[in-house]
Amino acid sequence: MRVTRNSIKMRTIICFAITLICVCILDTILSHNVEDELSTTHGFAHKCSFEQIYCYDDVQLPKPTVGLLYPRASETREVNSLDGVWELVRGNASDPLQGIREKWFGRSLRSTGREIIKVPVPASYNDLTVDQELRDHVGTVWYERHFFVPSSWNMSGTRTWIRFGSIHYACIAWINGQRAVKHSFGHLPFEVEIGRLVKYGQENRITIMVDNRLSNSTIPQGAVINESSDNGSVAVQTFTFDFFNYAGIHRSVQLYTTPAKYIKDIELKTQVNKQMGRIDYRLWIGNEQEQDVSKYINVKLLDRDRNVVTHQLNRNYHNGTLLIPNVKPWWPYLMHPEPGYMYTLEFQLMAENDLLLDSYQLPVGIRSLNWDNNSIYINGQPIYLRGFGKHEDSDIRGKGLDNALLTRDFSLLKWVGANAYRTSHYPYSEESMEFADEHGIMIIDECASVNTDLFQPELLQNHMSYLEQLIHRDRNHASVIAWSIANEPRTQKPEAKDYFGKLANYTRSIAQGRPLTAASNVDKPIKCMMSAFLDIIGFNRYNSWYHNPGRTDMIINPMFEEALSWRQLHQKPVIVFEYGADTLEGYHTLPTFIWSEEYQTTMLSKHFQAFDKLRKLKWFIGEFVWNFADFKTEQTYTRVGGNKKGVFTRNRQPKYSAYLLRQRYHMLASKLNNASLPTDLFNYIIDFGL
């Protein structure tokens, strides 16, 4: 009998289900009080009805995040990067916490006697070497590097911070052997003040333990099981999501300074009314309890040419409003001749004697965002989303930040005529969000909840915290038009109703003027226990691939009817977030055959017909191809070198379907927004006048 990774997953799920059923039967036999029996699940005390599997009465709302402004140098701030080559030690897979017990953080990693690997940061560590054990490692790895902190930073009134753009997943960082910070979520930033831990003008050591293990309560979920191998028992990380579980220090590590009294956080809300723009701002001031001087805030709005557009002196420095006559609104790509217009908002915290205390500049796009039961509106205009699902994925670097790749990706997005993408299935880098702002690409901003199952209270706690940190990070980006709270959760389960009801109600309370959405994949809309709580309905459907593979004559009607069913059930705007077919680059067949480039092109064309029928109904507002580019997955017999549904290859070259999609997206922009067509959209064929 052949044992596969999928069969291992299935056994794990079946074992859990059998255990749950047995517990329920035993409870009935012994006549135990159900409320007492379930009152201590995962440390959450609660009272539960008989019908409920989990209760969430005692799930605590997350504490609001304050701080974490992106590091930017100014007259009062300095930034030093710790990106570069670090040293890495792979932990013992059978004893992941060995390094904690032996206090590797208290000495150089070289003194542990373990193999030292030189690795770049930022990057995933998995594909950097030819070592299979490192690629497939389950457990902890340890990073280390030495660095200097300038003596000039050791002066009265200067605070020193370290900020991590993203580490996967749980991690602990030590500075000179002293614990500095701990964080649990991948894809999101965190920081800590380290002035008490560093030696100024001398060499310092930073040590970071990174743990890539996933469990039923992590975001995303997974489970580690032990399996027998030729070399004894080994830990195997199981999960159900369809992308490679890259790990490591994925984004930049930066040292930066602030003054003692400093601008700690900024929240912006913008509106456009005809020719008048409006920015409402709110500031948090660090170390504000020391009220030894009176202060005011000096606010300047600069245009692209760095000219001052408007200026304000505000003694109520916690909040204020700027009005901008003849504003240049932020518009999506191909909706306006000048898309993605970004101003720079400068805040200067001043003492009463006009002494500059702190200065921070923040890019801002000024636009209005509204929605109703039929559409989403930017500056009062309905939008139609032409886009993709994407991944942060590339050869060798994995999920590591790569500005060259970002440049290529956004060039391709504009070449193909897209105006949007979903950050499937996790938050993308802060740098990519700024690219989206500047290029006018709209973002459906998704948290890392993918294939959510086993809806425990501890999971809900983490899910809420994750969304809170995501929304706090991205709330000031004009490109973000919606929050996606999950991808393909198991919402056919009855317990999903209470879970997503609680989650959606909390997220809506902090949504910063954006609608909520998610991607469902239930076989019938009526079975989804989540979508009733959303503002925008989104679904994934692979007609002619997972459903009726090879049958391109079974696309138009099923797609139309399913979207119509979602609309009739919820009376809200509808988006198709995923549709597509795996395609092997260079494989051609006539007539079309599954996996060929011709098949992918035919499949797209059939979907276009369904989408045009839906567009006439005025509540269908978007089509997202899966995927922008090929990407790596776990090893499985259903994936040959990864997921090949991209219209671009993994190294960002077009497949045959990319040219058809380009014609579709640019023609839509021309019809809906009167955009000019590229001169090379169609090749010359014949002059019928001759």
mmCIF file with all atom_site columns, all heavy atoms in Angstrom, residues 69 265-269 342 362-365 437 471-479 512 514:
data_model
loop_
_atom_site.group_PDB
_atom_site.id
_atom_site.type_symbol
_atom_site.label_atom_id
_atom_site.label_alt_id
_atom_site.label_comp_id
_atom_site.label_asym_id
_atom_site.label_entity_id
_atom_site.label_seq_id
_atom_site.pdbx_PDB_ins_code
_atom_site.Cartn_x
_atom_site.Cartn_y
_atom_site.Cartn_z
_atom_site.occupancy
_atom_site.B_iso_or_equiv
_atom_site.pdbx_formal_charge
_atom_site.auth_seq_id
_atom_site.auth_comp_id
_atom_site.auth_asym_id
_atom_site.auth_atom_id
_atom_site.pdbx_PDB_model_num
ATOM 1   N N   . LEU A 1 69  ? 5.301   52.494 12.809 1.00 0.00 ? 69  LEU A N   1
ATOM 2   C CA  . LEU A 1 69  ? 5.465   53.258 11.580 1.00 0.00 ? 69  LEU A CA  1
ATOM 3   C C   . LEU A 1 69  ? 6.657   52.718 10.796 1.00 0.00 ? 69  LEU A C   1
ATOM 4   O O   . LEU A 1 69  ? 7.676   52.344 11.376 1.00 0.00 ? 69  LEU A O   1
ATOM 5   C CB  . LEU A 1 69  ? 5.694   54.736 11.889 1.00 0.00 ? 69  LEU A CB  1
ATOM 6   C CG  . LEU A 1 69  ? 4.504   55.525 12.446 1.00 0.00 ? 69  LEU A CG  1
ATOM 7   C CD1 . LEU A 1 69  ? 4.954   56.933 12.821 1.00 0.00 ? 69  LEU A CD1 1
ATOM 8   C CD2 . LEU A 1 69  ? 3.361   55.576 11.442 1.00 0.00 ? 69  LEU A CD2 1
ATOM 9   N N   . ASP A 1 265 ? 2.580   57.064 16.159 1.00 0.00 ? 265 ASP A N   1
ATOM 10  C CA  . ASP A 1 265 ? 1.665   56.416 15.225 1.00 0.00 ? 265 ASP A CA  1
ATOM 11  C C   . ASP A 1 265 ? 0.820   57.475 14.533 1.00 0.00 ? 265 ASP A C   1
ATOM 12  O O   . ASP A 1 265 ? 0.609   58.572 15.060 1.00 0.00 ? 265 ASP A O   1
ATOM 13  C CB  . ASP A 1 265 ? 0.766   55.410 15.956 1.00 0.00 ? 265 ASP A CB  1
ATOM 14  C CG  . ASP A 1 265 ? 0.294   54.283 15.056 1.00 0.00 ? 265 ASP A CG  1
ATOM 15  O OD1 . ASP A 1 265 ? 0.534   54.352 13.834 1.00 0.00 ? 265 ASP A OD1 1
ATOM 16  O OD2 . ASP A 1 265 ? -0.316  53.325 15.570 1.00 0.00 ? 265 ASP A OD2 1
ATOM 17  N N   . ILE A 1 266 ? 0.333   57.133 13.333 1.00 0.00 ? 266 ILE A N   1
ATOM 18  C CA  . ILE A 1 266 ? -0.476  58.035 12.524 1.00 0.00 ? 266 ILE A CA  1
ATOM 19  C C   . ILE A 1 266 ? -1.615  57.240 11.899 1.00 0.00 ? 266 ILE A C   1
ATOM 20  O O   . ILE A 1 266 ? -1.406  56.152 11.358 1.00 0.00 ? 266 ILE A O   1
ATOM 21  C CB  . ILE A 1 266 ? 0.359   58.692 11.403 1.00 0.00 ? 266 ILE A CB  1
ATOM 22  C CG1 . ILE A 1 266 ? 1.543   59.470 11.982 1.00 0.00 ? 266 ILE A CG1 1
ATOM 23  C CG2 . ILE A 1 266 ? -0.519  59.612 10.547 1.00 0.00 ? 266 ILE A CG2 1
ATOM 24  C CD1 . ILE A 1 266 ? 2.537   59.942 10.929 1.00 0.00 ? 266 ILE A CD1 1
ATOM 25  N N   . GLU A 1 267 ? -2.804  57.787 11.951 1.00 0.00 ? 267 GLU A N   1
ATOM 26  C CA  . GLU A 1 267 ? -3.970  57.201 11.289 1.00 0.00 ? 267 GLU A CA  1
ATOM 27  C C   . GLU A 1 267 ? -4.569  58.252 10.365 1.00 0.00 ? 267 GLU A C   1
ATOM 28  O O   . GLU A 1 267 ? -4.795  59.391 10.772 1.00 0.00 ? 267 GLU A O   1
ATOM 29  C CB  . GLU A 1 267 ? -5.004  56.763 12.323 1.00 0.00 ? 267 GLU A CB  1
ATOM 30  C CG  . GLU A 1 267 ? -6.288  56.212 11.736 1.00 0.00 ? 267 GLU A CG  1
ATOM 31  C CD  . GLU A 1 267 ? -7.317  55.913 12.819 1.00 0.00 ? 267 GLU A CD  1
ATOM 32  O OE1 . GLU A 1 267 ? -7.168  54.883 13.499 1.00 0.00 ? 267 GLU A OE1 1
ATOM 33  O OE2 . GLU A 1 267 ? -8.252  56.729 12.994 1.00 0.00 ? 267 GLU A OE2 1
ATOM 34  N N   . LEU A 1 268 ? -4.820  57.870 9.109  1.00 0.00 ? 268 LEU A N   1
ATOM 35  C CA  . LEU A 1 268 ? -5.356  58.796 8.114  1.00 0.00 ? 268 LEU A CA  1
ATOM 36  C C   . LEU A 1 268 ? -6.681  58.280 7.566  1.00 0.00 ? 268 LEU A C   1
ATOM 37  O O   . LEU A 1 268 ? -6.867  57.074 7.385  1.00 0.00 ? 268 LEU A O   1
ATOM 38  C CB  . LEU A 1 268 ? -4.384  58.964 6.949  1.00 0.00 ? 268 LEU A CB  1
ATOM 39  C CG  . LEU A 1 268 ? -2.959  59.415 7.254  1.00 0.00 ? 268 LEU A CG  1
ATOM 40  C CD1 . LEU A 1 268 ? -2.142  59.472 5.970  1.00 0.00 ? 268 LEU A CD1 1
ATOM 41  C CD2 . LEU A 1 268 ? -2.950  60.759 7.962  1.00 0.00 ? 268 LEU A CD2 1
ATOM 42  N N   . LYS A 1 269 ? -7.578  59.219 7.302  1.00 0.00 ? 269 LYS A N   1
ATOM 43  C CA  . LYS A 1 269 ? -8.804  58.926 6.566  1.00 0.00 ? 269 LYS A CA  1
ATOM 44  C C   . LYS A 1 269 ? -8.992  60.037 5.546  1.00 0.00 ? 269 LYS A C   1
ATOM 45  O O   . LYS A 1 269 ? -8.851  61.212 5.875  1.00 0.00 ? 269 LYS A O   1
ATOM 46  C CB  . LYS A 1 269 ? -10.001 58.830 7.509  1.00 0.00 ? 269 LYS A CB  1
ATOM 47  C CG  . LYS A 1 269 ? -9.899  57.667 8.490  1.00 0.00 ? 269 LYS A CG  1
ATOM 48  C CD  . LYS A 1 269 ? -11.098 57.572 9.400  1.00 0.00 ? 269 LYS A CD  1
ATOM 49  C CE  . LYS A 1 269 ? -10.957 56.388 10.349 1.00 0.00 ? 269 LYS A CE  1
ATOM 50  N NZ  . LYS A 1 269 ? -12.087 56.275 11.305 1.00 0.00 ? 269 LYS A NZ  1
ATOM 51  N N   . MET A 1 342 ? 0.162   60.229 -5.629 1.00 0.00 ? 342 MET A N   1
ATOM 52  C CA  . MET A 1 342 ? 0.508   60.195 -4.209 1.00 0.00 ? 342 MET A CA  1
ATOM 53  C C   . MET A 1 342 ? 1.085   61.536 -3.770 1.00 0.00 ? 342 MET A C   1
ATOM 54  O O   . MET A 1 342 ? 2.000   62.071 -4.400 1.00 0.00 ? 342 MET A O   1
ATOM 55  C CB  . MET A 1 342 ? 1.520   59.081 -3.936 1.00 0.00 ? 342 MET A CB  1
ATOM 56  C CG  . MET A 1 342 ? 1.012   57.685 -4.228 1.00 0.00 ? 342 MET A CG  1
ATOM 57  S SD  . MET A 1 342 ? -0.358  57.177 -3.160 1.00 0.00 ? 342 MET A SD  1
ATOM 58  C CE  . MET A 1 342 ? 0.495   57.058 -1.580 1.00 0.00 ? 342 MET A CE  1
ATOM 59  N N   . LEU A 1 362 ? 4.874   60.740 5.428  1.00 0.00 ? 362 LEU A N   1
ATOM 60  C CA  . LEU A 1 362 ? 4.055   59.584 5.093  1.00 0.00 ? 362 LEU A CA  1
ATOM 61  C C   . LEU A 1 362 ? 3.418   59.786 3.723  1.00 0.00 ? 362 LEU A C   1
ATOM 62  O O   . LEU A 1 362 ? 2.742   60.795 3.499  1.00 0.00 ? 362 LEU A O   1
ATOM 63  C CB  . LEU A 1 362 ? 2.960   59.415 6.155  1.00 0.00 ? 362 LEU A CB  1
ATOM 64  C CG  . LEU A 1 362 ? 2.030   58.216 6.031  1.00 0.00 ? 362 LEU A CG  1
ATOM 65  C CD1 . LEU A 1 362 ? 2.794   56.922 6.284  1.00 0.00 ? 362 LEU A CD1 1
ATOM 66  C CD2 . LEU A 1 362 ? 0.877   58.344 7.027  1.00 0.00 ? 362 LEU A CD2 1
ATOM 67  N N   . PRO A 1 363 ? 3.609   58.856 2.777  1.00 0.00 ? 363 PRO A N   1
ATOM 68  C CA  . PRO A 1 363 ? 2.915   58.965 1.488  1.00 0.00 ? 363 PRO A CA  1
ATOM 69  C C   . PRO A 1 363 ? 1.407   58.805 1.690  1.00 0.00 ? 363 PRO A C   1
ATOM 70  O O   . PRO A 1 363 ? 0.953   57.988 2.515  1.00 0.00 ? 363 PRO A O   1
ATOM 71  C CB  . PRO A 1 363 ? 3.486   57.807 0.674  1.00 0.00 ? 363 PRO A CB  1
ATOM 72  C CG  . PRO A 1 363 ? 4.718   57.368 1.401  1.00 0.00 ? 363 PRO A CG  1
ATOM 73  C CD  . PRO A 1 363 ? 4.493   57.685 2.832  1.00 0.00 ? 363 PRO A CD  1
ATOM 74  N N   . VAL A 1 364 ? 0.612   59.553 0.935  1.00 0.00 ? 364 VAL A N   1
ATOM 75  C CA  . VAL A 1 364 ? -0.839  59.451 1.077  1.00 0.00 ? 364 VAL A CA  1
ATOM 76  C C   . VAL A 1 364 ? -1.502  59.656 -0.277 1.00 0.00 ? 364 VAL A C   1
ATOM 77  O O   . VAL A 1 364 ? -1.174  60.580 -1.017 1.00 0.00 ? 364 VAL A O   1
ATOM 78  C CB  . VAL A 1 364 ? -1.381  60.467 2.115  1.00 0.00 ? 364 VAL A CB  1
ATOM 79  C CG1 . VAL A 1 364 ? -0.978  61.894 1.754  1.00 0.00 ? 364 VAL A CG1 1
ATOM 80  C CG2 . VAL A 1 364 ? -2.890  60.368 2.250  1.00 0.00 ? 364 VAL A CG2 1
ATOM 81  N N   . GLY A 1 365 ? -2.420  58.758 -0.604 1.00 0.00 ? 365 GLY A N   1
ATOM 82  C CA  . GLY A 1 365 ? -3.299  58.936 -1.749 1.00 0.00 ? 365 GLY A CA  1
ATOM 83  C C   . GLY A 1 365 ? -4.658  59.375 -1.239 1.00 0.00 ? 365 GLY A C   1
ATOM 84  O O   . GLY A 1 365 ? -5.200  58.797 -0.292 1.00 0.00 ? 365 GLY A O   1
ATOM 85  N N   . ASP A 1 437 ? 0.160   51.437 -4.159 1.00 0.00 ? 437 ASP A N   1
ATOM 86  C CA  . ASP A 1 437 ? -0.291  52.831 -4.050 1.00 0.00 ? 437 ASP A CA  1
ATOM 87  C C   . ASP A 1 437 ? 0.178   53.645 -5.248 1.00 0.00 ? 437 ASP A C   1
ATOM 88  O O   . ASP A 1 437 ? -0.598  54.370 -5.887 1.00 0.00 ? 437 ASP A O   1
ATOM 89  C CB  . ASP A 1 437 ? 0.262   53.471 -2.768 1.00 0.00 ? 437 ASP A CB  1
ATOM 90  C CG  . ASP A 1 437 ? -0.404  52.957 -1.495 1.00 0.00 ? 437 ASP A CG  1
ATOM 91  O OD1 . ASP A 1 437 ? -1.517  52.404 -1.587 1.00 0.00 ? 437 ASP A OD1 1
ATOM 92  O OD2 . ASP A 1 437 ? 0.198   53.121 -0.420 1.00 0.00 ? 437 ASP A OD2 1
ATOM 93  N N   . ILE A 1 471 ? -4.748  45.120 9.749  1.00 0.00 ? 471 ILE A N   1
ATOM 94  C CA  . ILE A 1 471 ? -5.475  46.364 9.482  1.00 0.00 ? 471 ILE A CA  1
ATOM 95  C C   . ILE A 1 471 ? -4.696  47.561 10.006 1.00 0.00 ? 471 ILE A C   1
ATOM 96  O O   . ILE A 1 471 ? -4.633  48.609 9.352  1.00 0.00 ? 471 ILE A O   1
ATOM 97  C CB  . ILE A 1 471 ? -6.890  46.287 10.087 1.00 0.00 ? 471 ILE A CB  1
ATOM 98  C CG1 . ILE A 1 471 ? -7.718  45.250 9.314  1.00 0.00 ? 471 ILE A CG1 1
ATOM 99  C CG2 . ILE A 1 471 ? -7.575  47.652 10.070 1.00 0.00 ? 471 ILE A CG2 1
ATOM 100 C CD1 . ILE A 1 471 ? -9.054  44.927 9.937  1.00 0.00 ? 471 ILE A CD1 1
ATOM 101 N N   . HIS A 1 472 ? -4.079  47.419 11.168 1.00 0.00 ? 472 HIS A N   1
ATOM 102 C CA  . HIS A 1 472 ? -3.256  48.511 11.689 1.00 0.00 ? 472 HIS A CA  1
ATOM 103 C C   . HIS A 1 472 ? -2.112  48.822 10.737 1.00 0.00 ? 472 HIS A C   1
ATOM 104 O O   . HIS A 1 472 ? -1.793  49.992 10.486 1.00 0.00 ? 472 HIS A O   1
ATOM 105 C CB  . HIS A 1 472 ? -2.706  48.147 13.067 1.00 0.00 ? 472 HIS A CB  1
ATOM 106 C CG  . HIS A 1 472 ? -1.750  49.152 13.606 1.00 0.00 ? 472 HIS A CG  1
ATOM 107 N ND1 . HIS A 1 472 ? -0.386  49.067 13.407 1.00 0.00 ? 472 HIS A ND1 1
ATOM 108 C CD2 . HIS A 1 472 ? -1.944  50.287 14.320 1.00 0.00 ? 472 HIS A CD2 1
ATOM 109 C CE1 . HIS A 1 472 ? 0.207   50.097 13.976 1.00 0.00 ? 472 HIS A CE1 1
ATOM 110 N NE2 . HIS A 1 472 ? -0.715  50.850 14.534 1.00 0.00 ? 472 HIS A NE2 1
ATOM 111 N N   . ARG A 1 473 ? -1.471  47.797 10.189 1.00 0.00 ? 473 ARG A N   1
ATOM 112 C CA  . ARG A 1 473 ? -0.334  48.019 9.300  1.00 0.00 ? 473 ARG A CA  1
ATOM 113 C C   . ARG A 1 473 ? -0.738  48.731 8.015  1.00 0.00 ? 473 ARG A C   1
ATOM 114 O O   . ARG A 1 473 ? -0.037  49.603 7.512  1.00 0.00 ? 473 ARG A O   1
ATOM 115 C CB  . ARG A 1 473 ? 0.334   46.680 8.957  1.00 0.00 ? 473 ARG A CB  1
ATOM 116 C CG  . ARG A 1 473 ? 1.670   46.808 8.241  1.00 0.00 ? 473 ARG A CG  1
ATOM 117 C CD  . ARG A 1 473 ? 2.108   45.509 7.576  1.00 0.00 ? 473 ARG A CD  1
ATOM 118 N NE  . ARG A 1 473 ? 1.354   45.233 6.348  1.00 0.00 ? 473 ARG A NE  1
ATOM 119 C CZ  . ARG A 1 473 ? 1.712   44.341 5.435  1.00 0.00 ? 473 ARG A CZ  1
ATOM 120 N NH1 . ARG A 1 473 ? 2.802   43.605 5.618  1.00 0.00 ? 473 ARG A NH1 1
ATOM 121 N NH2 . ARG A 1 473 ? 0.977   44.148 4.355  1.00 0.00 ? 473 ARG A NH2 1
ATOM 122 N N   . ASP A 1 474 ? -1.881  48.345 7.426  1.00 0.00 ? 474 ASP A N   1
ATOM 123 C CA  . ASP A 1 474 ? -2.212  48.759 6.058  1.00 0.00 ? 474 ASP A CA  1
ATOM 124 C C   . ASP A 1 474 ? -3.331  49.792 5.966  1.00 0.00 ? 474 ASP A C   1
ATOM 125 O O   . ASP A 1 474 ? -3.775  50.133 4.871  1.00 0.00 ? 474 ASP A O   1
ATOM 126 C CB  . ASP A 1 474 ? -2.605  47.528 5.228  1.00 0.00 ? 474 ASP A CB  1
ATOM 127 C CG  . ASP A 1 474 ? -1.428  46.617 4.955  1.00 0.00 ? 474 ASP A CG  1
ATOM 128 O OD1 . ASP A 1 474 ? -0.280  47.061 5.156  1.00 0.00 ? 474 ASP A OD1 1
ATOM 129 O OD2 . ASP A 1 474 ? -1.647  45.461 4.560  1.00 0.00 ? 474 ASP A OD2 1
ATOM 130 N N   . ARG A 1 475 ? -3.797  50.318 7.093  1.00 0.00 ? 475 ARG A N   1
ATOM 131 C CA  . ARG A 1 475 ? -4.975  51.186 7.079  1.00 0.00 ? 475 ARG A CA  1
ATOM 132 C C   . ARG A 1 475 ? -4.761  52.486 6.308  1.00 0.00 ? 475 ARG A C   1
ATOM 133 O O   . ARG A 1 475 ? -5.726  53.081 5.831  1.00 0.00 ? 475 ARG A O   1
ATOM 134 C CB  . ARG A 1 475 ? -5.370  51.524 8.525  1.00 0.00 ? 475 ARG A CB  1
ATOM 135 C CG  . ARG A 1 475 ? -4.302  52.285 9.291  1.00 0.00 ? 475 ARG A CG  1
ATOM 136 C CD  . ARG A 1 475 ? -4.619  52.398 10.766 1.00 0.00 ? 475 ARG A CD  1
ATOM 137 N NE  . ARG A 1 475 ? -3.532  53.059 11.489 1.00 0.00 ? 475 ARG A NE  1
ATOM 138 C CZ  . ARG A 1 475 ? -3.509  53.211 12.808 1.00 0.00 ? 475 ARG A CZ  1
ATOM 139 N NH1 . ARG A 1 475 ? -4.508  52.738 13.529 1.00 0.00 ? 475 ARG A NH1 1
ATOM 140 N NH2 . ARG A 1 475 ? -2.493  53.822 13.387 1.00 0.00 ? 475 ARG A NH2 1
ATOM 141 N N   . ASN A 1 476 ? -3.514  52.949 6.176  1.00 0.00 ? 476 ASN A N   1
ATOM 142 C CA  . ASN A 1 476 ? -3.265  54.230 5.514  1.00 0.00 ? 476 ASN A CA  1
ATOM 143 C C   . ASN A 1 476 ? -2.974  54.106 4.026  1.00 0.00 ? 476 ASN A C   1
ATOM 144 O O   . ASN A 1 476 ? -2.622  55.097 3.382  1.00 0.00 ? 476 ASN A O   1
ATOM 145 C CB  . ASN A 1 476 ? -2.102  54.957 6.205  1.00 0.00 ? 476 ASN A CB  1
ATOM 146 C CG  . ASN A 1 476 ? -2.443  55.376 7.627  1.00 0.00 ? 476 ASN A CG  1
ATOM 147 O OD1 . ASN A 1 476 ? -3.601  55.627 7.950  1.00 0.00 ? 476 ASN A OD1 1
ATOM 148 N ND2 . ASN A 1 476 ? -1.430  55.441 8.481  1.00 0.00 ? 476 ASN A ND2 1
ATOM 149 N N   . HIS A 1 477 ? -3.112  52.913 3.457  1.00 0.00 ? 477 HIS A N   1
ATOM 150 C CA  . HIS A 1 477 ? -2.812  52.709 2.041  1.00 0.00 ? 477 HIS A CA  1
ATOM 151 C C   . HIS A 1 477 ? -4.064  52.935 1.189  1.00 0.00 ? 477 HIS A C   1
ATOM 152 O O   . HIS A 1 477 ? -5.081  52.252 1.360  1.00 0.00 ? 477 HIS A O   1
ATOM 153 C CB  . HIS A 1 477 ? -2.278  51.302 1.800  1.00 0.00 ? 477 HIS A CB  1
ATOM 154 C CG  . HIS A 1 477 ? -0.885  51.098 2.293  1.00 0.00 ? 477 HIS A CG  1
ATOM 155 N ND1 . HIS A 1 477 ? 0.217   51.626 1.653  1.00 0.00 ? 477 HIS A ND1 1
ATOM 156 C CD2 . HIS A 1 477 ? -0.399  50.440 3.379  1.00 0.00 ? 477 HIS A CD2 1
ATOM 157 C CE1 . HIS A 1 477 ? 1.317   51.301 2.317  1.00 0.00 ? 477 HIS A CE1 1
ATOM 158 N NE2 . HIS A 1 477 ? 0.966   50.589 3.368  1.00 0.00 ? 477 HIS A NE2 1
ATOM 159 N N   . ALA A 1 478 ? -3.970  53.869 0.244  1.00 0.00 ? 478 ALA A N   1
ATOM 160 C CA  . ALA A 1 478 ? -5.097  54.153 -0.644 1.00 0.00 ? 478 ALA A CA  1
ATOM 161 C C   . ALA A 1 478 ? -5.462  52.940 -1.489 1.00 0.00 ? 478 ALA A C   1
ATOM 162 O O   . ALA A 1 478 ? -6.614  52.767 -1.895 1.00 0.00 ? 478 ALA A O   1
ATOM 163 C CB  . ALA A 1 478 ? -4.759  55.336 -1.548 1.00 0.00 ? 478 ALA A CB  1
ATOM 164 N N   . SER A 1 479 ? -4.483  52.095 -1.768 1.00 0.00 ? 479 SER A N   1
ATOM 165 C CA  . SER A 1 479 ? -4.717  50.942 -2.642 1.00 0.00 ? 479 SER A CA  1
ATOM 166 C C   . SER A 1 479 ? -5.602  49.881 -1.998 1.00 0.00 ? 479 SER A C   1
ATOM 167 O O   . SER A 1 479 ? -6.220  49.086 -2.713 1.00 0.00 ? 479 SER A O   1
ATOM 168 C CB  . SER A 1 479 ? -3.377  50.313 -3.039 1.00 0.00 ? 479 SER A CB  1
ATOM 169 O OG  . SER A 1 479 ? -2.624  49.953 -1.889 1.00 0.00 ? 479 SER A OG  1
ATOM 170 N N   . GLN A 1 512 ? -11.697 50.441 9.368  1.00 0.00 ? 512 GLN A N   1
ATOM 171 C CA  . GLN A 1 512 ? -11.125 51.645 8.766  1.00 0.00 ? 512 GLN A CA  1
ATOM 172 C C   . GLN A 1 512 ? -11.771 52.004 7.423  1.00 0.00 ? 512 GLN A C   1
ATOM 173 O O   . GLN A 1 512 ? -11.103 52.363 6.456  1.00 0.00 ? 512 GLN A O   1
ATOM 174 C CB  . GLN A 1 512 ? -9.611  51.473 8.582  1.00 0.00 ? 512 GLN A CB  1
ATOM 175 C CG  . GLN A 1 512 ? -8.835  51.300 9.871  1.00 0.00 ? 512 GLN A CG  1
ATOM 176 C CD  . GLN A 1 512 ? -8.734  52.600 10.658 1.00 0.00 ? 512 GLN A CD  1
ATOM 177 O OE1 . GLN A 1 512 ? -8.579  53.664 10.095 1.00 0.00 ? 512 GLN A OE1 1
ATOM 178 N NE2 . GLN A 1 512 ? -8.826  52.498 11.974 1.00 0.00 ? 512 GLN A NE2 1
ATOM 179 N N   . ARG A 1 514 ? -13.423 50.167 5.187  1.00 0.00 ? 514 ARG A N   1
ATOM 180 C CA  . ARG A 1 514 ? -13.366 49.213 4.077  1.00 0.00 ? 514 ARG A CA  1
ATOM 181 C C   . ARG A 1 514 ? -14.379 48.096 4.308  1.00 0.00 ? 514 ARG A C   1
ATOM 182 O O   . ARG A 1 514 ? -14.654 47.711 5.440  1.00 0.00 ? 514 ARG A O   1
ATOM 183 C CB  . ARG A 1 514 ? -11.985 48.575 3.947  1.00 0.00 ? 514 ARG A CB  1
ATOM 184 C CG  . ARG A 1 514 ? -10.969 49.384 3.141  1.00 0.00 ? 514 ARG A CG  1
ATOM 185 C CD  . ARG A 1 514 ? -10.145 50.213 4.005  1.00 0.00 ? 514 ARG A CD  1
ATOM 186 N NE  . ARG A 1 514 ? -8.933  50.722 3.347  1.00 0.00 ? 514 ARG A NE  1
ATOM 187 C CZ  . ARG A 1 514 ? -8.037  51.480 3.956  1.00 0.00 ? 514 ARG A CZ  1
ATOM 188 N NH1 . ARG A 1 514 ? -8.182  51.787 5.237  1.00 0.00 ? 514 ARG A NH1 1
ATOM 189 N NH2 . ARG A 1 514 ? -6.974  51.927 3.304  1.00 0.00 ? 514 ARG A NH2 1
#
